[in-house]
């Protein structure tokens, strides 16, 4: 695909070559994310960071990525702080905000909302998550992390064995990641969830149509043996019809150090899109894994910065100009962010 001026709404837009292009530009961004160098390539450019649903890492890392390229950020952090709360349409909101911004990132709880917004926008729009539909930048950073973790173990993404665990029905990060992984070769998907929270049929059909193996089960311990990657997810309680219903699934699958030691192969990578639910009745990914070197969750969040820098640079056609305005940083950087 041609990234220049494009909206990024779904990972269905990507072929494998496009993903590799994003990863190549992301690699170039590492010295900037590491604060070894600074660039002003987007000086004067404004990001509209429009989050109408809660977010910590997607919102802040998109803003941080834009700042690291030298641009300024304007943001909204909830619907009640925007005129959408007064009944303004996505069309009007998009026409207005795209007059103030060079690029917009948007998150909203309604599936398809970002696409509707983008159709009225005068500038490129990136989907920061639309309901339980998609989360394209999360899938890119997840796959970038998977690739790095596998390379560190002498493996590659092709032939990967991944176990996806938890709420696969409402988890948009899982939906986008499954689509992206299906562009690779001979992936073995183990889908571990309660039957009510299974991966929706269209995603399973897409995986199988591309020739990959899918096994669905409800047994965590049986499912996590012989996996390269465990991708654990939170129960997306905000998507359930009622809190009572969501509570039925909380804490159903809990990965902790003793289960990991007993059932996983050595060096199995542990991932989670985050946030993990650390409340006592949930804990799908226990804090006792925090010192496990195979826990990649904070490498994922760090990788989100370079992936988002790469998307900005490619959409705004400055990937080959980043170095022109670059210089060494004058401040102390040791021990800071390391991708
Ligand atoms: N992974 C993710 O989307 O996290 P936030 O909700 O904090 O943005």
């Amino acid at each position: 695909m041609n990234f220049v001026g494009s909206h990024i709404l779904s990972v269905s837009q990507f072929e494998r070559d496009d993903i590799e292009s994003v990863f190549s530009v992301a690699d170039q961004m590492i010295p900037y994310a590491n604060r070894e160098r600074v660039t002003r390539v987007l000086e004067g450019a404004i990001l509209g960071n429009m989050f109408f649903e809660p977010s910590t890492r997607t919102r802040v890392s998109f803003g941080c990525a834009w700042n690291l390229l030298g641009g300024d950020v304007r943001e909204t952090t909830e619907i009640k702080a925007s005129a959408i709360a007064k009944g303004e349409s996505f069309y009007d909101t998009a026409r207005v905000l795209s007059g103030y911004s060079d690029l917009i990132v948007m998150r909203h709880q309604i599936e398809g909302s970002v696409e509707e917004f983008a159709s009225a926008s005068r500038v490129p729009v990136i989907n920061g998550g639309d309901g339980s539909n998609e989360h394209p930048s999360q899938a890119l950073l997840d796959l970038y992390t998977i690739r790095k973790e596998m390379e560190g173990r002498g493996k590659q993404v092709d032939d990967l064995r991944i176990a996806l665990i938890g709420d696969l029905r409402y988890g948009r990060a899982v939906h986008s990641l499954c689509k992206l992984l299906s562009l690779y070769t001979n992936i073995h998907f183990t889908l571990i969830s309660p039957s009510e929270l299974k991966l929706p049929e269209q995603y399973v059909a897409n995986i199988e149509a591309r020739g990959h193996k899918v096994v669905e089960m409800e047994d965590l311990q049986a499912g996590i043996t012989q996996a390269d990657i465990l991708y654990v997810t939170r129960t997306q309680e905000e998507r359930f019809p009622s809190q009572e219903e969501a509570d039925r699934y909380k804490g159903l699958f809990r990965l902790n150090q003793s289960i990991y030691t007993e059932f996983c192969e050595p060096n199995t990578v542990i991932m989670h899109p985050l946030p993990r639910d650390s409340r006592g009745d949930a804990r799908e990914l226990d804090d006792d894994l925090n010192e496990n070197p195979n826990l990649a969750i904070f490498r994922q969040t760090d990788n989100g910065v370079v992936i988002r820098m790469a998307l900005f640079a490619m959409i705004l056609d400055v990937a080959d100009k980043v170095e022109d305005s670059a210089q060494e940083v004058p401040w102390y950087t040791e021990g800071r962010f390391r991708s």
Side-chain angles (χ1 to χ4, degrees):
M1 69 172 278
N2 179 13
F3 282 83
V4 179
S6 292
H7 303 308
I8 305 293
L9 303 174
S10 163
V11 295
S12 301
Q13 295 170 247
F14 302 136
E15 296 297 336
R16 188 164 163 167
D17 285 352
D18 303 317
I19 299 167
E20 297 299 329
S21 299
V22 174
F23 291 176
S24 171
V25 176
D27 286 343
Q28 292 170 37
M29 299 299 173
I30 290 172
Y32 303 95
N34 279 348
R35 281 42 161 205
E36 292 156 15
R37 292 172 76 67
V38 287
T39 176
R40 306 297 304 164
V41 70
L42 288 188
E43 187 160 26
I46 294 174
L47 172 69
N49 211 19
M50 300 297 137
F51 278 71
F52 301 116
E53 195 183 46
S55 170
T56 294
R57 70 228 81 228
T58 311
R59 177 175 58 82
V60 178
S61 66
F62 265 122
C64 179
W66 190 269
N67 288 148
L68 286 166
L69 292 167
D72 295 314
V73 179
R74 296 284 174 273
E75 73 183 16
T76 290
T77 54
E78 52 184 343
I79 284 181
K80 67 181 184 209
S82 113
I84 289 178
K86 302 177 193 171
E88 188 164 50
S89 65
F90 289 135
Y91 179 89
D92 286 1
T93 307
R95 297 301 289 176
V96 171
L97 294 178
S98 56
Y100 305 156
S101 316
D102 296 282
L103 189 152
I104 294 172
V105 178
M106 179 181 163
R107 169 176 288 188
H108 194 283
Q109 66 186 15
I110 298 175
E111 290 185 28
S113 54
V114 183
E115 188 173 358
E116 184 182 344
F117 181 95
S119 68
S121 172
R122 293 171 279 171
V123 299
V125 175
I126 298 178
N127 182 358
D130 62 323
S132 55
N133 184 32
E134 280 228 35
H135 196 344
S137 65
Q138 178 71 44
L140 285 169
L141 76 88
D142 287 338
L143 184 54
Y144 183 72
T145 305
I146 289 170
R147 195 176 73 152
K148 282 183 171 238
E149 298 290 327
M150 288 299 98
E151 282 173 358
R153 290 160 176 77
K155 297 182 179 180
Q156 53 185 1
V157 178
D158 292 324
D159 304 320
L160 185 78
R161 301 167 303 168
I162 184 167
L164 297 123
I165 302 159
D167 177 0
L168 310 184
R169 177 177 179 184
Y170 293 116
R172 59 192 171 201
V174 166
H175 300 166
S176 292
L177 180 59
C178 286
K179 282 195 203 175
L180 269 197
L181 279 171
S182 67
L183 296 175
Y184 287 74
T185 305
N186 191 34
I187 309 293
H188 189 294
F189 293 85
T190 304
L191 307 176
I192 307 169
S193 69
S195 59
E196 299 84 355
L197 301 183
K198 282 167 63 169
L199 187 68
E201 182 49 37
Q202 72 265 29
Y203 298 103
V204 177
N206 174 60
I207 293 168
E208 290 181 331
R210 289 179 177 268
H212 305 289
K213 174 96 174 150
V214 179
V215 176
E216 298 185 275
M217 59 172 68
E218 298 187 39
D219 183 344
L220 176 70
Q221 294 170 359
I224 61 178
T225 60
Q226 300 186 330
D228 299 303
I229 303 277
L230 307 180
Y231 192 92
V232 184
T233 64
R234 172 180 70 90
T235 302
Q236 310 281 303
E237 58 184 39
E238 64 276 28
R239 313 262 176 249
F240 282 75
S242 71
Q243 187 63 46
E244 188 186 9
E245 194 174 328
D247 287 345
R248 268 186 238 149
Y249 303 103
K250 270 191 177 179
L252 214 52
F253 299 121
R254 293 183 176 196
L255 184 67
N256 58 28
Q257 185 60 53
S258 76
I259 290 173
Y260 180 89
T261 305
E262 186 172 350
F263 295 99
C264 293
E265 291 178 0
N267 288 327
T268 301
V269 180
I270 307 162
M271 296 176 61
H272 191 305
L274 300 183
R276 57 178 156 170
D277 189 340
S278 295
R279 291 170 289 192
D281 57 347
R283 289 204 182 147
E284 71 275 0
L285 191 58
D286 202 287
D287 289 350
D288 71 359
L289 288 157
N290 285 356
E291 301 307 317
N292 185 321
N294 297 300
L295 185 73
I297 57 176
F298 301 117
R299 295 193 282 278
Q300 285 173 265
T301 53
D302 284 355
N303 288 335
V305 175
V306 290
I307 288 293
R308 288 166 175 138
M309 290 176 79
L311 289 175
F312 289 150
M314 294 170 78
I315 294 167
L316 296 179
D317 201 16
V318 294
D320 59 355
K321 300 182 183 69
V322 171
E323 191 62 25
D324 295 349
S325 62
Q327 57 186 48
E328 304 295 312
V329 300
W331 63 79
Y332 175 75
T333 63
E334 192 179 349
R336 295 195 61 168
F337 175 90
R338 288 288 179 272
S339 185

